[in-house]
């Protein structure tokens, strides 16, 4: 029985050491921003969605799910949207 | 060892408590020290390590026959093979709860390990929510169902009670852990969702990060449900695999909502729609896993699978309430950010079909939940407990399932945003025509029941659309690369480029195979009861059975009587197999069980049950079931699980919104 108590004590000591250690590491003493830039993040998300939509559009066309008469207007609309988004992203300091 | 296990469990509780509070507090701040987040991350992994130690300690007590431990004494005995001593860990309430909280903590630790590459604003709250779930289950285990309790007896017990004979089956080694992996895996999306709502980091990141975890949980749950069905098929001796039992239903409910989420999340990712709906689905999925646990452990419904009635039901109800209160409060707080960015433009679009698919899945979920809870509602309202049986569930769910399978054929074939009628007619004309021909051919062949004809026709329609989709994909890939359309390298390249898409098709194909198998086994099943004396024969379908002899057997923990029955071809009398159904008597438990003799075949299963032997010991009664295409049900499930794992494999890492907004896209390790 004593053996298990010793094992439990050793386990608790190792865990305590490993858990507390990061608090004393200089590299981890930096304060991180947890809020982020929400408007820019939303714009980047929208840019990603638009690029994804362009990719889906081309895939749907290649697979014969839409015709060329539907492809061109949709592609133009998405390209216009992507252009506007890129400008706005630049204005907000993103890339 | 038992003290060590108890200590490890208590330590896990302390760590989970600390990590959940710290995580949530850090998540609510604007800034936090990296070291503090790292402490929470390490604590999350330490909870899993401690619970792993506790589980090993309990397993050690089982294997070493430590009957000073009440739980070990209750669920094990010396004559049990060692494999059942290990599976007895989750054979009862206390051990199963310990396994459950270990798996919750294990999943949480995997997420914590991966969280170094997650968007930082999401991480503290995510770790906090992961630990609140671990804390709840650890609290239940530590304070209510602690398996590390000594047996209160003045003398040392020489032997234990033993495990329920029905649970002494190889499937018990794998079915419950798989099911629990599924249940516990599905709490990860909830933690991500709540963390996104709490931190306000509601970009696509949480959706993208959570999809893989949802797929992992969903795949394990699928495997767990089907293994449970296979166990029931082999062990319960009624010739079926699914009886709409409350506990089976409890595992099926979160599977339905998780399936709905896996479809609707694609709409959110691509179109910025269904954000609130996805929060609802994720919360409902997690709540239903907790509800399932409540159902099996509260004793409110009767089931062959349920644990004994206990008094911990209220804790689950309290936790369920908490889950919804937290979700509703966070949704109200972030309601403006959850508004959709687009609307559905056309009913003939993939997003509209996905929404319809979600509504059908939720309708099935509601119908099943209603059937499960009906005895409780009826007792509360009329004072009499009334149950609904298999006919109710089949009547409601069969048409809904067929509609779902039909949508499975339609959804992937039509375009996002809008499809023109002309191209839809072109895509669906051949499959529709094929399905019609199949239907007519079946009626001509003598299959006149409505649902089987409809089911086979729909299955054929979906098969055609999947093959058509594959053919168009191969064509597009070949056109882009210049390779031959049917070249294996072209197929491999297509599969690699669009693994998620073709993984989903693989799952759909598995569902299709299962649909055909379930229809065949339901509609064309043959069931007979008969008695035979030695040398007598009985004919059923293509088979003839002849009782040869009875054979007594004595094993370490049971005695058995086997009936040796020759299965012959009715056509030419040739011997196909000697089947040996048996009746067992477990000496320690004083329980009788029947062991089915099964001849699995690609065309049909012959399922023979020894129902009883008369007093003279010369005549036996049997039950036989001829289940057409039954084995294809298991094949279909294997295909589905394979598709799930193909989809759950890691994708090349994409930069998170946070990284992109900082303009420092890092390469994946």
């Amino acid at each position: 029985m004593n053996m298990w108590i010793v094992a439990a004590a050793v386990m608790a000591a190792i865990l305590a050491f490993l858990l507390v250690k990061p608090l004393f590491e200089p590299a981890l003493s930096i304060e991180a921003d947890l809020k982020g830039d929400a408007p820019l993040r939303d714009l980047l998300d929208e840019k990603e969605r638009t690029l994804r939509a362009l990719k889906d559009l081309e895939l749907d066309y290649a697979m014969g799910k839409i015709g060329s008469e539907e492809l061109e207007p949709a592609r133009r609309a998405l390209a216009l949207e992507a252009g506007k988004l890129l400008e706005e992203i630049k204005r907000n300091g993103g890339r | 060892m038992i003290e060590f296990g108890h200590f490890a469990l208590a330590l896990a509780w302390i760590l989970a408590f600390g990590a959940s509070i710290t995580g949530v507090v850090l998540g609510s701040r604007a800034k936090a020290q990296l070291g503090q987040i790292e402490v929470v991350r390490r604590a999350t992994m330490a909870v899993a390590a401690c619970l792993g130690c506790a589980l090993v300690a309990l397993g050690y007590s089982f294997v070493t026959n430590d009957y000073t431990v009440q739980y070990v004494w209750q669920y094990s005995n010396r004559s049990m093979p060692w494999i059942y001593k290990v599976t007895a860990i989750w054979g009862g309430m206390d051990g199963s709860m310990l396994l459950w909280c270990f798996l919750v903590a294990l999943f949480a630790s995997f997420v914590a390990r991966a969280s170094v590459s997650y968007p930082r604003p999401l991480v503290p709250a995510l770790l906090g929510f992961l630990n609140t779930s671990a804390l709840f289950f650890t609290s239940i285990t530590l304070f209510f169902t602690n398996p590390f309790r000594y047996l209160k007896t003045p003398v040392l017990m020489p032997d234990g009670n033993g495990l329920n004979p029905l649970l002494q089956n190889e499937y018990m080694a794998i079915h419950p852990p798989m099911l629990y992996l599924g249940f516990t895996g599905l709490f990860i999306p909830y933690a991500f969702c709540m963390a996104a709502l709490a931190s306000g980091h509601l970009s696509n990141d949480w959706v993208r990060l959570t999809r893989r975890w949802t797929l992992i949980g969903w795949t394990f749950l699928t495997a767990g449900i089907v293994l449970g069905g296979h166990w029931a098929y082999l062990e319960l001796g009624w010739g079926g695999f699914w009886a709409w039992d409350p506990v089976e239903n409890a595992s099926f409910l979160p599977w339905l909502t998780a399936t709905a989420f896996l479809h609707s999340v694609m709409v959110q990712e691509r179109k910025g729609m269904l954000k609130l709906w996805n929060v609802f689905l994720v919360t409902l999925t997690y709540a239903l896993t907790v509800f399932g646990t409540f159902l099996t452990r509260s004793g409110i419904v009767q089931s062959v699978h349920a644990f004994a009635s206990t008094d911990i039901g209220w804790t689950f109800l309290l936790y369920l309430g908490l889950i919804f209160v937290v979700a509703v409060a966070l949704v109200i707080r972030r309601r403006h950010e959850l508004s959709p960015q687009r609307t559905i433009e056309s009913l003939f679009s993939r997003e509209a079909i996905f929404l319809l698919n979600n509504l059908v899945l939720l309708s099935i979920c509601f119908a099943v939940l209603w059937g499960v809870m009906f005895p409780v509602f009826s007792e509360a309202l009329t004072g009499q407990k009334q149950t609904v049986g298999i006919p109710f569930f089949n009547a409601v769910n069969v048409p809904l399932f067929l509609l779902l399978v039909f949508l499975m054929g339609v959804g992937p074939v039509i375009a996002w945003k809008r499809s023109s009628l002309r191209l839809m007619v072109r895509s669906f004309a051949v499959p529709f025509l094929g399905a019609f021909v199949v239907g007519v051919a079946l009626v001509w062949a003598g299959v006149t029941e409505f649902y089987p004809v409809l089911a086979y026709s729909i299955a054929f329609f979906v098969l055609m659309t999947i093959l058509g989709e594959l053919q168009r994909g191969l064509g597009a890939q070949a056109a882009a690369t210049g390779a031959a359309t049917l070249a294996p390298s072209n197929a491999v390249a297509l599969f690699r480029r669009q693994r998620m898409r073709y993984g989903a098709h693989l799952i759909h194909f598995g569902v299709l195979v299962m649909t055909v198998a379930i229809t065949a086994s339901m509609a064309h099943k043959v069931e007979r009861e008969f008695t035979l004396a030695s040398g007598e024969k009985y004919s059923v379908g293509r088979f003839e059975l002849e009782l040869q002899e009875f054979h007594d057997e004595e094993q370490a923990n049971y005695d058995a009587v086997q009936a040796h029955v020759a299965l012959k071809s009715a056509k030419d009398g040739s011997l196909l197999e000697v089947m040996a159904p048996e009746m067992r008597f477990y000496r320690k438990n004083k329980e009788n069980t029947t062991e089915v003799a099964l001849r699995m075949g690609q065309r049909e299963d012959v399922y023979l049950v020894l129902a009883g032997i008369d007093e003279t010991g010369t005549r036996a009664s049997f039950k036989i079931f001829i289940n057409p295409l039954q084995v294809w049900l298991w094949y279909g499930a294997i295909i589905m699980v394979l598709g799930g794992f193909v989809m759950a494999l890691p994708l090349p890492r994409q930069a998170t919104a946070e990284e992109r907004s900082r303009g420092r896209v890092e390469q994946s390790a």
Side-chain angles (χ1 to χ4, degrees):
Chain A
M1 183 169 150
N2 285 340
M3 188 182 77
W4 297 118
I5 292 173
V6 172
V10 170
M11 183 179 160
I14 292 171
L15 277 182
F17 171 74
L18 289 174
L19 285 178
V20 175
K21 199 171 157 247
L23 293 176
F24 301 99
E25 285 180 18
L28 296 177
S29 64
I30 306 160
E31 284 224 314
D33 173 24
L34 295 183
K35 290 296 160 205
D37 188 345
L40 180 57
R41 204 171 53 211
D42 291 345
L43 284 169
L44 287 162
D45 253 3
E46 202 46 41
K47 182 187 96 178
E48 196 180 292
R49 271 195 202 109
T50 310
L51 295 178
R52 183 83 183 255
L54 263 169
K55 216 171 138 187
D56 284 338
L57 191 72
E58 272 155 23
L59 186 68
D60 283 345
Y61 176 67
M63 303 269 284
K65 292 176 190 174
I66 53 167
S68 52
E69 69 281 5
E70 288 147 300
L71 173 74
E72 279 315 316
R75 187 151 60 184
R76 266 199 303 277
L78 284 170
L80 198 71
E81 200 179 322
K84 277 184 194 164
L85 279 167
L86 285 173
E87 269 177 31
E88 208 162 333
I89 288 166
K90 256 185 201 166
R91 265 205 304 278
N92 279 271
R95 294 185 203 173
Chain B
M1 191 65 169
I2 210 69
E3 288 84 2
F4 179 72
H6 199 159
F7 174 79
L9 180 61
L11 195 58
W13 185 87
I14 293 167
L15 288 167
F17 182 77
S20 53
I21 301 275
T22 317
V24 171
V25 168
L26 288 180
S28 64
R29 288 187 187 166
K31 287 180 185 301
Q33 219 180 57
L34 288 180
Q36 292 170 328
I37 300 174
E38 180 61 18
V39 170
V40 182
R41 202 176 75 84
R42 290 185 181 198
T44 308
M45 293 190 273
V47 173
C50 289
L51 289 171
C53 288
L55 203 61
V56 169
L58 186 63
Y60 180 83
S61 302
F62 267 105
V63 174
T64 56
N65 302 315
D66 183 358
Y67 299 121
T68 59
V69 183
Q70 186 184 330
Y71 185 71
V72 176
W73 170 77
Q74 212 169 342
Y75 292 101
S76 172
N77 64 38
R78 289 181 191 277
S79 61
M80 271 165 50
W82 72 269
I83 181 72
Y84 296 141
K85 286 182 183 171
V86 175
T87 61
I89 294 173
W90 49 85
M93 168 81 151
D94 302 357
S96 73
M97 284 308 297
L98 180 62
L99 175 68
W100 191 292
C101 59
F102 167 67
L103 294 177
V104 166
L106 190 67
F107 266 114
S109 74
F110 288 148
V111 177
R113 192 169 175 273
S115 68
V116 283
S117 63
Y118 290 171
R120 202 165 287 143
L122 199 62
V123 174
L126 172 64
L127 295 173
F129 277 104
L130 289 172
N131 278 293
T132 51
S133 186
L135 177 66
F136 169 72
F137 286 105
T138 313
S139 301
I140 295 279
T141 312
L142 184 64
F143 301 118
F144 297 100
T145 64
N146 196 327
F148 301 109
R149 280 172 298 186
Y150 283 111
L151 183 64
K152 285 174 191 145
T153 172
V155 288
L156 188 66
M157 300 304 275
D159 203 357
N161 272 342
L163 188 65
N164 180 343
L166 285 176
L167 304 183
Q168 295 189 34
N169 177 293
E170 308 84 65
Y171 279 84
M172 282 308 290
I174 187 161
H175 158 56
M178 282 284 171
L179 207 56
Y180 291 3
L181 276 168
F183 277 146
T184 53
L186 290 177
F187 101 93
I188 305 282
Y190 171 77
F192 267 104
C193 178
M194 292 303 115
L197 287 170
S199 66
H201 190 88
L202 282 159
S203 70
N204 254 352
D205 290 338
W206 84 266
V207 173
R208 195 171 41 237
L209 292 169
T210 205
R211 191 167 58 186
R212 193 169 154 233
W213 291 108
T214 314
L215 274 166
I216 292 172
W218 181 91
T219 307
F220 278 122
L221 189 57
T222 306
I225 291 171
V226 176
L227 283 168
H230 203 214
W231 167 79
Y233 185 61
L234 296 179
E235 195 64 21
L236 298 184
W238 63 280
F241 53 89
W242 190 264
W244 298 105
D245 173 273
V247 177
E248 290 172 347
N249 291 340
S251 62
F252 190 45
L253 291 169
W255 184 91
L256 291 165
T257 50
T259 308
F261 174 68
L262 283 170
H263 289 86
S264 63
V265 79
M266 284 188 270
V267 181
Q268 177 170 350
E269 209 176 337
R270 283 178 161 87
K271 305 283 169 188
M273 296 188 298
L274 307 182
K275 290 178 184 175
L276 188 58
W277 177 250
N278 281 330
V279 172
F280 168 70
L281 283 181
V282 162
T283 308
L284 188 63
T285 301
Y286 182 49
L288 286 172
T289 65
V290 176
F291 176 75
T293 325
F294 161 72
L295 212 61
T296 43
R297 288 163 169 84
S298 61
I300 66 157
V301 291
Q302 300 302 312
S303 161
V304 285
H305 302 73
F307 292 88
S309 177
T310 59
D311 54 1
I312 63 164
W314 66 272
T315 57
F316 287 98
L317 284 183
L318 205 66
Y319 186 54
L320 267 177
L322 196 65
I323 289 168
F324 281 115
V325 165
V326 170
V328 169
L330 289 174
V331 163
I332 291 171
R333 191 176 159 206
R334 304 282 177 200
R335 62 191 179 280
H336 299 301
E337 291 146 85
L338 291 172
S339 51
Q341 286 159 283
R342 288 174 186 80
T343 51
I344 290 177
E345 288 182 28
S346 163
L347 281 175
F348 300 117
S349 64
R350 199 179 295 181
E351 47 269 44
I353 298 296
F354 280 179
L355 187 60
L356 191 56
N357 141 304
N358 267 230
L359 294 176
V360 176
L361 281 163
L362 270 269
S363 304
I364 297 171
C365 183
F366 176 75
V368 175
L369 190 61
W370 177 255
V372 169
M373 295 308 290
F374 191 75
V376 179
F377 296 147
S378 64
E379 193 175 24
L381 293 172
T382 66
Q384 276 193 326
K385 197 176 252 188
Q386 291 173 327
T387 55
V388 291
I390 295 174
F392 163 80
F393 288 104
N394 286 346
V396 178
N397 290 326
V398 167
L400 287 171
F401 267 112
L402 291 180
L403 177 58
L404 196 64
V405 176
F406 173 72
L407 291 176
M408 208 172 75
V410 177
V413 178
I414 67 174
W416 288 102
K417 203 172 179 181
R418 185 186 294 274
S419 281
S420 73
L421 200 60
R422 181 180 62 82
L423 288 168
M424 277 176 64
V425 169
R426 201 178 76 184
S427 301
F428 293 120
V430 176
F432 261 121
L433 194 67
F436 181 73
V437 170
V438 165
V440 171
L442 285 168
V443 173
W444 182 72
V447 183
T448 50
E449 282 175 81
F450 175 68
Y451 278 128
V453 172
L454 187 65
Y456 293 130
S457 303
I458 289 177
F460 190 76
F461 165 78
V462 180
L463 179 67
M464 295 282 278
T465 59
I466 291 177
L467 291 176
E469 182 76 356
L470 186 65
Q471 183 216 353
R472 282 189 290 272
L474 286 169
Q477 173 76 14
T481 59
T485 308
L486 294 176
S489 59
N490 191 42
V492 171
L494 177 70
F495 197 78
R496 273 197 184 153
R497 224 181 89 208
Q498 293 185 36
R499 182 158 52 83
M500 294 298 277
R501 175 185 288 257
Y502 289 99
H505 280 314
L506 199 58
I507 294 176
H508 288 174
F509 180 64
V511 174
L512 209 61
V513 174
M514 288 179 83
T515 304
V516 172
I518 291 169
T519 308
S521 67
M522 277 173 78
H524 317 300
K525 178 185 223 160
V526 176
E527 184 179 343
R528 299 274 189 276
E529 284 181 44
F530 57 95
T531 57
L532 288 178
S534 289
E536 284 184 349
K537 291 175 182 173
Y538 182 80
S539 289
V540 52
R542 302 190 300 124
F543 304 101
E544 188 181 72
L545 296 121
E546 182 183 348
L547 178 61
Q548 293 180 328
E549 57 172 354
F550 293 107
H551 174 74
D552 291 330
E553 208 178 79
E554 195 179 321
Q555 294 288 338
N557 53 340
Y558 65 85
D559 298 320
V561 185
Q562 280 183 351
H564 288 186
V565 180
L567 181 75
K568 296 175 179 176
S569 162
K571 196 174 163 190
D572 57 14
S574 61
L575 180 69
L576 302 170
E577 187 177 318
V578 176
M579 303 183 81
E582 65 181 57
M583 292 176 75
R584 288 182 183 172
F585 176 69
Y586 283 82
R587 290 186 290 272
K588 190 79 189 172
N589 310 64
K590 295 185 174 52
E591 278 184 48
N592 284 314
T593 64
T594 54
E595 293 296 311
V596 171
L598 181 65
R599 182 178 191 265
M600 271 190 180
Q602 305 305 318
R603 190 168 159 182
E604 77 263 284
D605 278 10
V606 179
Y607 185 103
L608 187 63
V609 184
L610 176 59
I613 300 172
D614 72 356
E615 314 82 68
T616 61
T618 56
R619 200 167 185 83
S621 56
F622 295 92
K623 260 188 171 183
I624 189 166
F625 301 86
I626 310 288
N627 296 327
L629 303 184
Q630 180 72 42
V631 75
W632 292 90
L633 176 69
W634 319 122
Y635 291 157
I638 292 169
I639 295 169
M640 277 181 80
V641 170
L642 195 68
F645 280 121
V646 164
M647 289 183 79
L649 286 173
L651 288 168
R653 188 176 163 259
Q654 286 179 295
T656 63
E658 191 202 12
E659 285 170 343
R660 280 178 276 126
S661 68
R662 289 176 184 181
R664 53 171 189 82
V665 179
E666 292 164 355
Q667 280 296 98
S668 143

